[in-house]
Each structure stands twice: as C-alpha cells, then as structure tokens.
Amino acid sequence: MKLKDYLQDKWILIMAICLFSLYVGVLFGLYNVPFFIIANYYLLLCLLLVGGMGYDYRKRRRFYRHLNQLLEQLDEKYLVSELIPSSNFLEGKLLLNTLRITNKSMKENVNKYAFSMEEYKEYIEMWIHEVKTPLASTRLIIENNPNETLKSIDEELDKLDMYLNQILFYARSSYVEKDFLIKELDIRKIVQLALKKHVKDFSVKKIQLSIEDTVGHIYSDQKWLIFMLDQIINNAVKYVSHQPKIKIYTTEEAQSMTLHIQDNGIGMPSRDLERIFEKGFTGENGRIYEKSTGIGLYLCYKMAQQLGIQIYGRSTVGEGTTISLSFPVSDMYFKEKKT
Amino acid sequence: MYKILIVEDNEKISQQLHTLLQREGYHAEIATDFQNIVELVLNINPHLLLLDINLPYHDGYYICKELRKNVQLPIIVVTSRETEMDELMSMNIGADDFVTKPYNVNILLARIQNLLKRAYPQTQQNILTYGNMNLNINKSCVSCQDQEIELTKNEFRILYFFMKNSGKVVTREELMTYLWDSDVFVDDNTLTVNVNRLRKKLDSVGGEPQIKTKRGVGYSI
C-alpha cells in the first residue's frame, strides 16, 4: 500500500476537513480573531490530522505488507486465510472473515469433486474386473478350439487386453492415494516378465534380442513397473526397421541404476522426442505407421513420477530410440516420502 | 492321474477349464454347490484346487483360510483383481500361487505343473521316450541305443517341446512362446541355430525320427 493510494482513498475526508478549515478561517477573519490564535488553531489541526492519519496508514500498511509476504511465500495460496494475523481495524476483520467463509465453501466444493472422482475410479476398476471375466472365458474357448480364425481373434484380444490395462493404470495413477506396494525387485526378472507378452512380435517380425548385463536390485512396485516396461517395449517393437534389434541393458551410478531399452528402429526428430511423454501426443511416426493413442508413454511418465523413477529418451532419425529408466537403488526414497 | 477341482462360479469358464485340463491329461472336476465348498473339497480330495475369489456365499479368501485349517493341498487362486495387495493377501491366507484373469493358458498350465511337481515329487516321470530317443529330464541328456549325448539348456527345452507335441507341426511362434515362458529368451536367429545344432547332435547318435523343417510354418518330429 503506497501513501499516494492511501491519500487517494481518503480524499473525501481530507477535502471535508480542508473545506471546514476554510470556513473556520473565514469566520476567524470576520470576527477579527488575533493572528496568534489562528496560527495556533491551524497548527494543532495539522498536527492532529497528520498524526492520526499517519498512525492509521502505518497500521494498514503493516497488515497488508504481511499479507502480501505470506501470499508470496505460500505455494498453496488458499491457505493464507489460516495464517493471517488478526487485525485491529474494521476492514482487516471483514476481509479475514470473508476469506475464511469463502475458503470453507471452496473446500467443501473441492471435496465433493474429490469424492465423485474417487467413486468414478472405483467404478472403472470394478468395470474392468467385470470385463476380464468374459475375456478370460473367450481366451479359454479359443485355446480349446484352435483354428486360424480364432487365432486371429486371439490377436485382437491381445490388443483389447492392452487397452484395458491402460485404462486401469490410468485410473490408478491419477489419484493421490497410493495404490502401489514397494518391494525389492530383481530387475532382470521384471524385464523378462514384461518381455513375455511380446513374444509374438519378436517371433513374427524376427527381432533380434539381447539382454546384456541386466543385473541388480531396485525398489519399486512390480505391477506398475511391468506395465511401464510393457508400454516401452510395445513402442520398440512397433517402430522397427530392417534387421530389427532390441537391446536391454543396465548401467549403474552411485545412487541409482538405469535400465535402457534400445531399439534400432525408425527413430524420431528431436522436436517429437521432446513431447513423447505428453498426453495424446503421437508424433509423425504415430500418424504414419500404426495407430497410436499417445497414452502409453504419458502414463509411464506419470507413474514414474509417483515411483521416484526418472524417465527419458534419446533418439536419432533412422538409427533408433533408447528409453531409459533411472531407479533409486535404496528404499530410502520411499521412507523419506512417507514421513 | 492328478485330480484337479475347479471352483469357479462362471459356468463357461469352468466348462472351458475342464475341457482344457482334461485335454492336458488331468482329471478335472467342477464344483457346483458353492454353499459347502470346504466339505466338497474334503470329500473329493483333489490333488490341486483352482479357486476363484469372487464366489457366491463365501469368497475365496474365506474358503482358503478354512481349508488351511485341515489340509495341505496346493491351491492356486484365480482372480480378476490384480494389484500387488491382492497378491499379498492371497499368499497370506495360504494360497500357493496366484493367477490373474484373463490368464495366459500356457502360464496357467505351467503353474499347475510346477505346483504338482513340488507337492508330489516322487510320482514324477523323468524319462520321455519318442522313436528310439530317450530324453532324460533330470540329467538333460538324450540317449539312443547305447549312445548318450548331453544337451544344452536350450536344446533340451526344444527337444522336450518337440517330444511333447510329437506328430504335430510346431510353429516357430509356438516354440518361441514356450521357450520364453520357461525363461529362455532366444530370438528368431538363435532359435534356428539351436534347432540346427540339436539336429546335428541327434544325427550323431542316430536319433530317429529326425526333426523335419516345414518351410514357412515350423518343425515336426
């Protein structure tokens, strides 16, 4: 609050006092009041006016300055009403009161949405589990009656299954409430489990596979991690070129372990690479080659954030793409997060 | 013959599982009375139990807990819920394994086989015979007449799969799926090399019949 603003705000009061003083001055002149008394009167008036307004100004300035500081320091600005000190002037009290009431009503509103989102998530999870039963029976029917038509239906079911998993993990990763279980995991085992789903691609497209130096233990959630690797491998086998090769290996740093999934596929330009983790981004490759939803890697990124994994990619057009996941090697990360 | 009891309230799934297990050489039975599952299990006395979690009357967790008070038979929990928490829960109440819907049939069969092998070790057959070849599973070597030759892990797996599917044409895809399911991650090239090496080894000991290549399809023995 600047002095100028304050004075502008009080201009009616100041004008009234000035007019009144002018009027008193005229009266003084008419009744021939001695100069000494006039001077005394105006001096006193000025002192009282300046002193009184100055005190009032300083009080308000201190309050609003404090408020502004709090606003600047807080990440969650809406908490400011909980922190404002009580003030001893009317506007301050009114402001505080209004803020508290609006805040409370906003909280109720937010809770209502949080609740309906939670309900929605539960419905989605239930629905997916519901759908998996007919899917399971379909698979068994196919297995029991092997022929070419059913085999081709089975391949479509694989895709359906993958999309269902995407929704499931989309619902799970969107919530603050943690849905995962951190355990010590053998990274090689996890890679193998994720690879198994893609055996058909490796066989049909004759992709050369090398799993080198994939050793070590990390702390993470098995289901989430397999889902993430599933998405990454899915991309690697999708955008293959001639004589396709996929190489999976780890490198170790002081506090972390990094898993690399490297392909020699078509690669992508750097302007696309920057955006691969964005929701709905498909890039040139996604549009030209096969249908892509732009959800897989976005989910990976979101889940990685929750699991404390750093995810990044490197790519050269015509040479291939490497997606890397950097894990914390100790479980300290999760212990710190809890406290 | 192993007896397997299927406890699953979805009729289609239990029927199909029944067909599948019978085809794989097990004696399968389907539970129909879900009110007295525990008594039923004790009466039938199966070698292995396939247990769904979502059941009418009592859920699978309850049944599993009740059964564990009396019997030690291997139990595989089958469910469509699949978080780590659900898995942990199943293990805590005494299930031996956990398979999620929609299951990969090969994985389900492999788990059943493993559990049975672990639970009833003495009854396991360890020599597989086809033509004039005897495949020794424990020693992972093959013998014809008097000659014996050792096989590598990959070669052993491949021959095992061929023998199990003798008379049929095995596609490269099926062979690779089987190998990957048993944690042998060979790619297409390595597969060709391995099959050729196996063929040479079998030739060197005079193994009959030979592995035939069906162009563009796969192999048969």
Side-chain angles (χ1 to χ4, degrees), chain B residues 169-170 172 192 195-196 199 210-221:
Chain B
V169 175
V170 174
R172 295 177 69 86
T192 313
V195 171
N196 286 339
R199 202 178 260 150
Q210 287 174 328
I211 300 167
K212 289 180 279 291
T213 306
K214 304 273 172 190
R215 263 208 160 282
V217 189
Y219 305 97
S220 75
I221 185 168

PDB file of all heavy atoms in Angstrom, chain B residues 169-170 172 192 195-196 199 210-221:
ATOM      1  N   VAL B 169       2.641 -80.383 -36.195  1.00  0.00           N
ATOM      2  CA  VAL B 169       3.571 -79.375 -36.685  1.00  0.00           C
ATOM      3  C   VAL B 169       3.641 -78.273 -35.635  1.00  0.00           C
ATOM      4  O   VAL B 169       2.625 -77.728 -35.226  1.00  0.00           O
ATOM      5  CB  VAL B 169       3.105 -78.789 -38.033  1.00  0.00           C
ATOM      6  CG1 VAL B 169       4.036 -77.656 -38.462  1.00  0.00           C
ATOM      7  CG2 VAL B 169       3.065 -79.867 -39.089  1.00  0.00           C
ATOM      8  N   VAL B 170       4.867 -78.012 -35.188  1.00  0.00           N
ATOM      9  CA  VAL B 170       5.073 -76.969 -34.187  1.00  0.00           C
ATOM     10  C   VAL B 170       5.521 -75.705 -34.908  1.00  0.00           C
ATOM     11  O   VAL B 170       6.526 -75.719 -35.606  1.00  0.00           O
ATOM     12  CB  VAL B 170       6.152 -77.402 -33.176  1.00  0.00           C
ATOM     13  CG1 VAL B 170       6.467 -76.280 -32.223  1.00  0.00           C
ATOM     14  CG2 VAL B 170       5.705 -78.647 -32.433  1.00  0.00           C
ATOM     15  N   ARG B 172       7.111 -71.933 -35.374  1.00  0.00           N
ATOM     16  CA  ARG B 172       8.232 -71.249 -34.709  1.00  0.00           C
ATOM     17  C   ARG B 172       7.701 -70.378 -33.576  1.00  0.00           C
ATOM     18  O   ARG B 172       8.332 -70.226 -32.536  1.00  0.00           O
ATOM     19  CB  ARG B 172       8.991 -70.378 -35.715  1.00  0.00           C
ATOM     20  CG  ARG B 172       9.667 -71.184 -36.811  1.00  0.00           C
ATOM     21  CD  ARG B 172      10.325 -70.261 -37.802  1.00  0.00           C
ATOM     22  NE  ARG B 172      11.460 -69.580 -37.232  1.00  0.00           N
ATOM     23  CZ  ARG B 172      12.689 -70.101 -37.196  1.00  0.00           C
ATOM     24  NH1 ARG B 172      12.926 -71.267 -37.696  1.00  0.00           N
ATOM     25  NH2 ARG B 172      13.672 -69.412 -36.664  1.00  0.00           N
ATOM     26  N   THR B 192      16.893 -70.737 -34.775  1.00  0.00           N
ATOM     27  CA  THR B 192      17.315 -71.515 -35.936  1.00  0.00           C
ATOM     28  C   THR B 192      18.634 -72.229 -35.642  1.00  0.00           C
ATOM     29  O   THR B 192      18.779 -73.428 -35.904  1.00  0.00           O
ATOM     30  CB  THR B 192      17.507 -70.578 -37.148  1.00  0.00           C
ATOM     31  OG1 THR B 192      16.367 -69.731 -37.224  1.00  0.00           O
ATOM     32  CG2 THR B 192      17.652 -71.360 -38.424  1.00  0.00           C
ATOM     33  N   VAL B 195      18.099 -75.093 -33.146  1.00  0.00           N
ATOM     34  CA  VAL B 195      17.420 -76.256 -33.728  1.00  0.00           C
ATOM     35  C   VAL B 195      18.393 -77.021 -34.617  1.00  0.00           C
ATOM     36  O   VAL B 195      18.459 -78.262 -34.566  1.00  0.00           O
ATOM     37  CB  VAL B 195      16.167 -75.830 -34.527  1.00  0.00           C
ATOM     38  CG1 VAL B 195      15.610 -77.018 -35.299  1.00  0.00           C
ATOM     39  CG2 VAL B 195      15.105 -75.286 -33.593  1.00  0.00           C
ATOM     40  N   ASN B 196      19.207 -76.305 -35.401  1.00  0.00           N
ATOM     41  CA  ASN B 196      20.180 -76.964 -36.271  1.00  0.00           C
ATOM     42  C   ASN B 196      21.218 -77.748 -35.479  1.00  0.00           C
ATOM     43  O   ASN B 196      21.592 -78.859 -35.843  1.00  0.00           O
ATOM     44  CB  ASN B 196      20.880 -75.940 -37.173  1.00  0.00           C
ATOM     45  CG  ASN B 196      19.944 -75.480 -38.273  1.00  0.00           C
ATOM     46  OD1 ASN B 196      18.979 -76.174 -38.591  1.00  0.00           O
ATOM     47  ND2 ASN B 196      20.205 -74.306 -38.834  1.00  0.00           N
ATOM     48  N   ARG B 199      19.671 -80.809 -34.124  1.00  0.00           N
ATOM     49  CA  ARG B 199      19.505 -81.782 -35.200  1.00  0.00           C
ATOM     50  C   ARG B 199      20.807 -82.547 -35.435  1.00  0.00           C
ATOM     51  O   ARG B 199      20.815 -83.771 -35.534  1.00  0.00           O
ATOM     52  CB  ARG B 199      19.115 -81.020 -36.459  1.00  0.00           C
ATOM     53  CG  ARG B 199      18.429 -81.856 -37.480  1.00  0.00           C
ATOM     54  CD  ARG B 199      18.044 -81.007 -38.652  1.00  0.00           C
ATOM     55  NE  ARG B 199      16.658 -80.603 -38.658  1.00  0.00           N
ATOM     56  CZ  ARG B 199      16.215 -79.475 -39.193  1.00  0.00           C
ATOM     57  NH1 ARG B 199      17.065 -78.595 -39.696  1.00  0.00           N
ATOM     58  NH2 ARG B 199      14.935 -79.200 -39.216  1.00  0.00           N
ATOM     59  N   GLN B 210      13.913 -87.995 -37.436  1.00  0.00           N
ATOM     60  CA  GLN B 210      14.607 -86.709 -37.462  1.00  0.00           C
ATOM     61  C   GLN B 210      13.635 -85.539 -37.336  1.00  0.00           C
ATOM     62  O   GLN B 210      12.442 -85.678 -37.609  1.00  0.00           O
ATOM     63  CB  GLN B 210      15.381 -86.581 -38.769  1.00  0.00           C
ATOM     64  CG  GLN B 210      16.604 -87.475 -38.781  1.00  0.00           C
ATOM     65  CD  GLN B 210      17.275 -87.459 -40.130  1.00  0.00           C
ATOM     66  OE1 GLN B 210      16.608 -87.310 -41.149  1.00  0.00           O
ATOM     67  NE2 GLN B 210      18.585 -87.613 -40.122  1.00  0.00           N
ATOM     68  N   ILE B 211      14.201 -84.396 -36.986  1.00  0.00           N
ATOM     69  CA  ILE B 211      13.375 -83.180 -36.938  1.00  0.00           C
ATOM     70  C   ILE B 211      13.222 -82.664 -38.355  1.00  0.00           C
ATOM     71  O   ILE B 211      14.213 -82.457 -39.051  1.00  0.00           O
ATOM     72  CB  ILE B 211      14.058 -82.088 -36.078  1.00  0.00           C
ATOM     73  CG1 ILE B 211      14.261 -82.593 -34.651  1.00  0.00           C
ATOM     74  CG2 ILE B 211      13.232 -80.800 -36.085  1.00  0.00           C
ATOM     75  CD1 ILE B 211      15.172 -81.738 -33.815  1.00  0.00           C
ATOM     76  N   LYS B 212      11.964 -82.532 -38.792  1.00  0.00           N
ATOM     77  CA  LYS B 212      11.737 -82.066 -40.170  1.00  0.00           C
ATOM     78  C   LYS B 212      11.351 -80.591 -40.156  1.00  0.00           C
ATOM     79  O   LYS B 212      10.637 -80.134 -39.275  1.00  0.00           O
ATOM     80  CB  LYS B 212      10.616 -82.877 -40.821  1.00  0.00           C
ATOM     81  CG  LYS B 212      11.029 -84.311 -41.140  1.00  0.00           C
ATOM     82  CD  LYS B 212       9.924 -85.097 -41.787  1.00  0.00           C
ATOM     83  CE  LYS B 212       8.918 -85.644 -40.794  1.00  0.00           C
ATOM     84  NZ  LYS B 212       9.416 -86.704 -39.906  1.00  0.00           N
ATOM     85  N   THR B 213      11.883 -79.851 -41.154  1.00  0.00           N
ATOM     86  CA  THR B 213      11.511 -78.445 -41.273  1.00  0.00           C
ATOM     87  C   THR B 213      10.340 -78.324 -42.228  1.00  0.00           C
ATOM     88  O   THR B 213      10.379 -78.844 -43.332  1.00  0.00           O
ATOM     89  CB  THR B 213      12.685 -77.613 -41.830  1.00  0.00           C
ATOM     90  OG1 THR B 213      13.816 -77.851 -41.009  1.00  0.00           O
ATOM     91  CG2 THR B 213      12.346 -76.129 -41.804  1.00  0.00           C
ATOM     92  N   LYS B 214       9.268 -77.680 -41.785  1.00  0.00           N
ATOM     93  CA  LYS B 214       8.149 -77.371 -42.672  1.00  0.00           C
ATOM     94  C   LYS B 214       8.326 -75.929 -43.111  1.00  0.00           C
ATOM     95  O   LYS B 214       8.147 -75.015 -42.292  1.00  0.00           O
ATOM     96  CB  LYS B 214       6.812 -77.528 -41.930  1.00  0.00           C
ATOM     97  CG  LYS B 214       6.604 -78.883 -41.321  1.00  0.00           C
ATOM     98  CD  LYS B 214       5.973 -79.823 -42.328  1.00  0.00           C
ATOM     99  CE  LYS B 214       5.969 -81.243 -41.738  1.00  0.00           C
ATOM    100  NZ  LYS B 214       5.608 -82.244 -42.707  1.00  0.00           N
ATOM    101  N   ARG B 215       8.687 -75.764 -44.353  1.00  0.00           N
ATOM    102  CA  ARG B 215       9.020 -74.416 -44.841  1.00  0.00           C
ATOM    103  C   ARG B 215       7.906 -73.399 -44.571  1.00  0.00           C
ATOM    104  O   ARG B 215       6.748 -73.629 -44.907  1.00  0.00           O
ATOM    105  CB  ARG B 215       9.335 -74.474 -46.331  1.00  0.00           C
ATOM    106  CG  ARG B 215      10.821 -74.559 -46.573  1.00  0.00           C
ATOM    107  CD  ARG B 215      11.219 -73.949 -47.908  1.00  0.00           C
ATOM    108  NE  ARG B 215      12.628 -73.612 -47.948  1.00  0.00           N
ATOM    109  CZ  ARG B 215      13.153 -72.537 -47.373  1.00  0.00           C
ATOM    110  NH1 ARG B 215      12.383 -71.722 -46.713  1.00  0.00           N
ATOM    111  NH2 ARG B 215      14.436 -72.290 -47.461  1.00  0.00           N
ATOM    112  N   GLY B 216       8.279 -72.292 -43.966  1.00  0.00           N
ATOM    113  CA  GLY B 216       7.313 -71.220 -43.749  1.00  0.00           C
ATOM    114  C   GLY B 216       6.332 -71.484 -42.618  1.00  0.00           C
ATOM    115  O   GLY B 216       5.500 -70.645 -42.324  1.00  0.00           O
ATOM    116  N   VAL B 217       6.415 -72.675 -42.022  1.00  0.00           N
ATOM    117  CA  VAL B 217       5.485 -72.975 -40.923  1.00  0.00           C
ATOM    118  C   VAL B 217       6.237 -73.229 -39.622  1.00  0.00           C
ATOM    119  O   VAL B 217       6.093 -72.495 -38.656  1.00  0.00           O
ATOM    120  CB  VAL B 217       4.597 -74.208 -41.255  1.00  0.00           C
ATOM    121  CG1 VAL B 217       3.506 -74.354 -40.228  1.00  0.00           C
ATOM    122  CG2 VAL B 217       4.031 -74.086 -42.660  1.00  0.00           C
ATOM    123  N   GLY B 218       7.048 -74.288 -39.645  1.00  0.00           N
ATOM    124  CA  GLY B 218       7.758 -74.617 -38.418  1.00  0.00           C
ATOM    125  C   GLY B 218       8.445 -75.960 -38.525  1.00  0.00           C
ATOM    126  O   GLY B 218       9.058 -76.258 -39.547  1.00  0.00           O
ATOM    127  N   TYR B 219       8.318 -76.773 -37.489  1.00  0.00           N
ATOM    128  CA  TYR B 219       9.000 -78.059 -37.449  1.00  0.00           C
ATOM    129  C   TYR B 219       8.026 -79.160 -37.061  1.00  0.00           C
ATOM    130  O   TYR B 219       6.973 -78.901 -36.497  1.00  0.00           O
ATOM    131  CB  TYR B 219      10.135 -78.035 -36.423  1.00  0.00           C
ATOM    132  CG  TYR B 219      11.123 -76.936 -36.635  1.00  0.00           C
ATOM    133  CD1 TYR B 219      11.022 -75.752 -35.926  1.00  0.00           C
ATOM    134  CD2 TYR B 219      12.167 -77.074 -37.547  1.00  0.00           C
ATOM    135  CE1 TYR B 219      11.937 -74.728 -36.109  1.00  0.00           C
ATOM    136  CE2 TYR B 219      13.087 -76.068 -37.747  1.00  0.00           C
ATOM    137  CZ  TYR B 219      12.968 -74.891 -37.023  1.00  0.00           C
ATOM    138  OH  TYR B 219      13.872 -73.902 -37.219  1.00  0.00           O
ATOM    139  N   SER B 220       8.432 -80.393 -37.374  1.00  0.00           N
ATOM    140  CA  SER B 220       7.660 -81.510 -36.837  1.00  0.00           C
ATOM    141  C   SER B 220       8.596 -82.665 -36.591  1.00  0.00           C
ATOM    142  O   SER B 220       9.683 -82.748 -37.172  1.00  0.00           O
ATOM    143  CB  SER B 220       6.558 -81.914 -37.810  1.00  0.00           C
ATOM    144  OG  SER B 220       7.120 -82.617 -38.895  1.00  0.00           O
ATOM    145  N   ILE B 221       8.201 -83.558 -35.692  1.00  0.00           N
ATOM    146  CA  ILE B 221       9.042 -84.719 -35.388  1.00  0.00           C
ATOM    147  C   ILE B 221       8.154 -85.950 -35.452  1.00  0.00           C
ATOM    148  O   ILE B 221       6.960 -85.893 -35.152  1.00  0.00           O
ATOM    149  CB  ILE B 221       9.720 -84.539 -34.018  1.00  0.00           C
ATOM    150  CG1 ILE B 221      10.702 -85.669 -33.726  1.00  0.00           C
ATOM    151  CG2 ILE B 221       8.705 -84.386 -32.913  1.00  0.00           C
ATOM    152  CD1 ILE B 221      11.595 -85.403 -32.542  1.00  0.00           C
TER     153      ILE B 221
END
